Amino acid sequence: MRQKKWEELAEVKRELAERDWFMGTSGNLSLKVSDEPLTFLVTASGKDKRKETAEDFLLVGADGQPAEATHLKPSAETLLHVKIYNKTNAGCVLHVHTVDNNVISEWYGDEGEVVFTNQELIKAFGLWEEDAAFRIPIIPNFAHIPTLADAFAKHVHADAGAVLIRNHGITVWGKDAFEAKKFLEACEFLCQYYVKLLLLKR
Ligand SMILES: CSCCC(=O)C(=O)COP(=O)(O)O
Ligand SMILES: [Zn+2]
């Protein structure tokens, strides 16, 4: 079971690395392994996530601490993953820093959210109506991780979602790895599109 989950998460990591979404050791990923007790695989902190090694992930529990003896440190942002798994039935959490998601988080940061409308790809989030709007909340980039996690948790209500952390990155979650990756790709597409549109409009 754990090996299967490891390979599944490794495959997602590989695909996001191919997109060059792990600049400067940024980013963290996790995949739920069990519900009772809650355990999940999470990326080890500080690694170059483009590399594939036997120490890429470690198993942690509901408190985000290692579930077994290891010299590896869980991602510094594991507490955000913990909030999602404890509040929802999500099965996978993906966090990446890209230039475009950072620009959008700064441009709309004072508004506290970015709203995407009139874009076919918002159907990826199950929004099929012609006048549908897809909103991504934007939270401040608190350096104190428990404070960041509390601000983040205020926007975690459903089994799938996305939150932008201002001038930091995006965290997206879904019921499984396929859905989380689909949402992340759709969010990145929308951020890239808005950045280009804003530049053209100037
Ligand atoms: C060098 S990026 C700063 C930390 C961060 O935001 C991140 O996503 C990676 O941290 P981790 O501990 O998960 O490697
Ligand atoms: Zn980060």
Side-chain angles (χ1 to χ4, degrees):
M1 166 73 154
R2 164 119 61 103
Q3 187 56 29
K4 216 172 136 255
K5 294 286 182 185
W6 180 292
E7 282 158 20
E8 201 179 342
L9 192 55
E11 174 63 22
V12 175
K13 183 169 148 295
R14 198 173 303 130
E15 289 180 27
L16 302 188
E18 279 163 14
R19 296 188 182 280
D20 207 11
W21 284 354
F22 295 131
M23 303 279 256
T25 73
S26 64
N28 37 75
L29 318 176
S30 69
L31 191 65
K32 186 153 79 176
V33 172
S34 63
D35 272 302
E36 282 177 18
L38 172 66
T39 61
F40 61 94
L41 286 169
V42 66
T43 41
S45 185
K47 306 246 180 203
D48 180 349
K49 280 90 187 184
R50 287 171 291 206
K51 301 270 190 295
E52 284 182 44
T53 78
E55 298 195 329
D56 285 349
F57 312 117
L58 65 153
L59 192 73
V60 298
D63 56 358
Q65 295 302 311
E68 49 204 15
T70 177
H71 65 278
L72 298 173
K73 270 181 61 184
S75 164
E77 290 157 9
T78 300
L79 208 45
L80 279 68
H81 299 238
V82 161
K83 296 287 184 189
I84 293 167
Y85 292 123
N86 280 313
K87 289 188 80 170
T88 75
N89 288 313
C92 182
V93 181
L94 307 175
H95 166 73
V96 297
H97 303 196
T98 67
V99 172
D100 292 298
N101 70 37
N102 272 252
V103 170
I104 291 299
S105 76
E106 174 60 15
W107 192 259
Y108 294 98
D110 288 346
E111 291 165 42
E113 66 175 6
V114 52
V115 184
F116 297 100
T117 50
N118 298 314
Q119 240 302 333
E120 178 70 9
L121 209 63
I122 68 172
K123 288 180 181 167
F125 306 96
L127 301 168
W128 295 85
E129 303 80 23
E130 218 165 275
D131 57 350
F134 176 60
R135 295 164 188 277
I136 305 182
I138 304 169
I139 61 169
N141 186 25
F142 297 110
H144 182 246
I145 297 295
T147 304
L148 179 67
D150 284 344
F152 178 84
K154 291 192 179 109
H155 302 284
V156 178
H157 308 297
D159 296 345
V163 173
L164 276 162
I165 307 170
R166 192 167 180 171
N167 283 323
H168 175 156
I170 193 166
T171 300
V172 173
W173 63 98
K175 68 174 190 297
D176 53 27
F178 176 86
E179 189 178 80
K181 189 163 72 73
K182 178 174 90 167
F183 289 161
L184 178 61
E185 288 173 346
C187 287
E188 287 302 318
F189 176 97
L190 293 169
C191 287
Q192 289 173 25
Y193 168 76
Y194 261 37
V195 167
K196 287 199 171 65
L197 203 61
L198 286 167
L199 284 169
L200 284 171
K201 280 182 175 169
R202 284 176 74 85

